[in-house]
Amino acid sequence: MFSRDEIGYEAIPLPDSVTLTDAEMAKAAHDFYEHVKRRHTVRDFSDRPVAREVIQDCVRAAGTAPSGANHQPWHFVAISEPAFKKRIREAAEKEEESFYAGGAGDEWIKALEPIGTVPNKPHLEDAPWLIVMFAQRWGQFDDGTRYKNYYVPESTGIACGVLLTALHTAGLVSLTHTPNPMKFLNEMLGRPSSEKALMIIAVGHPDENATVPKVAKYKKPLEEILSFAE
């Protein structure tokens, strides 16, 4: 992490090292694939509550993600207060209405048709938790002095992936939502101008009648996403 204090390089033994046999590695890799392929983006949430401690541990897991120069350029705000969620929904839907009214362009709207998205976003109120992820474009010391963060999009993208996987592992479902622009979230949540809201993640348990778009099960085959140079 960046600090005013001089922090030199110091090597320490690799902590938490795990050694597996070839067979164990193959099984672990396949088991993880079988686990993560059951993760789905869900828009229909039940009213079953989720303990704050679960959210804390999932975000704590996201905070272990690698980042440029280890600056960890992210901040998460978790919201469960119904009135707060209602305000976020109203502001997000206002942006979505502009998006679907022509701001997105015909090609983008057509691409979204198989997903079934519309400007109305009830999940932003129905989900027991909303987690807003902010990217810290630069850091600041207490006196306002700035310092640069590095590889912010890459770092926050990795952290978000870890968070979604942690939520799935905890038995929860989630939905990433990215109204554009999202500047309203900085003011609403009291975050500084150095931060940019990246997404709202609705989190909870699926409703018993929850559905997903059929097209969401269409994944590119391995030969289309993997090449080897051997």
Side-chain angles (χ1 to χ4, degrees):
M1 296 178 64
F2 192 77
S3 171
R4 283 187 185 276
D5 301 326
E6 186 68 26
I7 301 179
Y9 173 74
E10 179 183 0
I12 64 172
L14 174 65
D16 307 316
S17 178
V18 176
T19 301
L20 302 178
T21 67
D22 289 350
E24 289 170 336
M25 282 190 292
K27 183 178 186 306
H30 186 73
D31 286 350
F32 180 76
Y33 165 68
E34 291 294 329
H35 167 67
V36 80
K37 79 176 185 179
R38 293 193 291 270
R39 189 208 64 79
H40 295 100
T41 294
V42 173
R43 291 177 170 80
D44 308 304
F45 291 87
S46 77
D47 58 2
R48 178 182 170 187
V50 176
R52 176 174 176 168
E53 291 75 18
V54 174
I55 301 300
Q56 287 176 325
D57 275 339
C58 289
V59 173
R60 186 178 286 118
T64 69
S67 61
N70 196 33
H71 281 198
Q72 303 161 49
W74 45 64
H75 186 86
F76 302 86
V77 179
I79 303 127
S80 62
E81 168 59 44
F84 227 138
K85 291 190 294 181
K86 179 177 176 62
R87 288 177 60 200
I88 290 175
R89 176 186 177 181
E90 290 172 349
E93 286 184 342
K94 183 177 180 180
E95 301 297 344
E96 290 291 287
E97 287 170 3
S98 299
F99 177 88
Y100 284 93
D106 293 341
E107 184 176 359
W108 196 344
I109 295 298
K110 182 174 178 58
L112 289 172
E113 285 180 4
I115 306 298
T117 58
V118 294
N120 189 33
K121 307 295 181 183
H123 55 267
L124 293 178
E125 285 190 83
D126 295 341
W129 288 94
L130 301 180
I131 303 175
V132 181
M133 183 179 191
F134 288 88
Q136 295 178 337
R137 294 176 287 188
W138 65 85
Q140 286 183 289
F141 293 114
D142 292 342
D143 64 2
T145 303
R146 295 186 184 185
Y147 59 85
K148 185 176 181 180
N149 286 330
Y150 303 92
Y151 299 106
V152 175
E154 295 86 348
S155 300
T156 52
I158 296 169
C160 182
V162 174
L163 176 58
L164 295 177
T165 304
L167 293 168
H168 171 62
T169 302
L172 300 171
V173 295
S174 61
L175 171 68
T176 56
H177 180 54
T178 54
N180 186 29
M182 290 194 285
K183 292 181 180 179
F184 66 88
L185 287 167
N186 287 70
E187 180 179 354
M188 194 177 294
L189 299 174
R191 301 310 303 166
S193 60
S194 60
E195 296 181 357
K196 178 181 179 181
L198 292 184
M199 66 181 65
I200 305 168
I201 305 173
V203 178
H205 294 279
D207 183 79
E208 62 179 8
N209 296 315
T211 63
V212 297
K214 184 177 180 179
V215 72
K217 296 300 296 177
Y218 299 161
K219 302 299 181 184
K220 291 182 179 180
L222 185 62
E223 58 268 21
E224 288 190 24
I225 67 172
L226 173 65
S227 299
F228 287 99
E230 297 178 297

